[in-house]
Amino acid sequence: MKLSHLDQAGRARMVDVGDKPLMDRTAVATGTIRMSPEAFRQVAEQAIAKGDVLAVSEVAGTLAAKRTAELIPLCHPLGLDHVEVEAELAESLPGVKVSARVRTVGRTGVEMEALTAVAVALLTVYDMVKAVDSSMMIGDVQLIEKQKAPVDA
C-alpha cells in the first residue's frame, strides 16, 4: 500500500487534490471523558465555577473544527458548510460523551475536522472540571461515519 502523504524520497507532503471532483462530504466522530461521581454531579448541576461545561465544550469543538488545518500539518484548509457538536451527560461512564458532525462540499474529506472537534471539546471539559477531578480520562475518540456523494449540478 502506497501512502499518498509521502513523496518519492519518503518526505511528508500535502496531497494534491486539485483534480478530484467536488463531492458532498460528511464525517461523524465521537469520544468520551470519564470523571468521578462528584465531578459528574457538579457538571450535571452546572456547579462548575468556570461555567456551563457542556455549552462551552460544544463551542470549543466547533471552533476547533474550523481551525483543523492550522493544527494538523498536512490537512487541507476547508470551508466548512456545517459543524454540529453535541456534548451530553453520560451517567453510565460517569462523564460526558461528545459527538461531532461536519459537512462540506469539497475535494477532500472532513474526518480530521470531526475528530479535532471531538478532541478539543473533550479537552475543554477536562480544563473546566480539572479543579474537581484531575484524574479524568479522555478516550474512545473515533470516526464512526464517513460519507461522500456527488454534488447535484
Side-chain angles (χ1 to χ4, degrees):
M1 180 175 157
K2 184 177 181 234
L3 297 175
S4 61
H5 281 80
L6 300 177
D7 68 11
Q8 302 280 2
R11 292 183 305 258
R13 67 177 176 95
M14 180 183 264
V15 174
D16 183 351
V17 296
D19 293 333
K20 291 175 75 175
L22 289 174
M23 302 285 276
D24 188 351
R25 297 170 180 272
T26 303
V28 178
T30 61
T32 61
I33 184 165
R34 289 172 169 78
M35 60 188 62
S36 68
E38 175 59 20
F40 179 82
R41 181 190 67 74
Q42 288 191 35
V43 172
E45 294 176 3
Q46 294 192 14
I48 298 296
K50 289 187 175 184
D52 185 338
V53 173
L54 301 181
V56 173
S57 68
E58 290 172 348
V59 171
T62 301
L63 291 172
K66 297 189 313 184
R67 302 193 71 173
T68 299
E70 295 175 35
L71 300 169
I72 311 295
L74 302 179
C75 280
H76 293 82
L78 300 175
L80 302 179
D81 295 318
H82 183 71
V83 178
E84 181 179 348
V85 179
E86 183 177 342
E88 60 185 350
L89 294 170
E91 192 169 4
S92 61
L93 292 173
V96 174
K97 179 178 180 183
V98 173
S99 63
R101 175 179 294 275
V102 180
R103 187 179 155 276
T104 194
V105 173
R107 291 182 167 87
T108 188
V110 288
E111 301 93 322
M112 293 306 300
E113 287 73 11
L115 288 162
T116 300
V118 167
V120 171
L122 292 167
L123 287 167
T124 300
V125 172
Y126 187 94
D127 178 58
M128 294 183 74
V129 183
K130 68 185 179 216
V132 179
D133 180 5
S134 62
S135 66
M136 291 176 285
M137 289 183 53
I138 293 172
D140 306 318
V141 176
Q142 61 186 326
L143 182 70
I144 62 167
E145 182 181 330
K146 173 182 168 179
Q147 297 179 1
K148 68 178 179 179
V151 176
D152 294 332

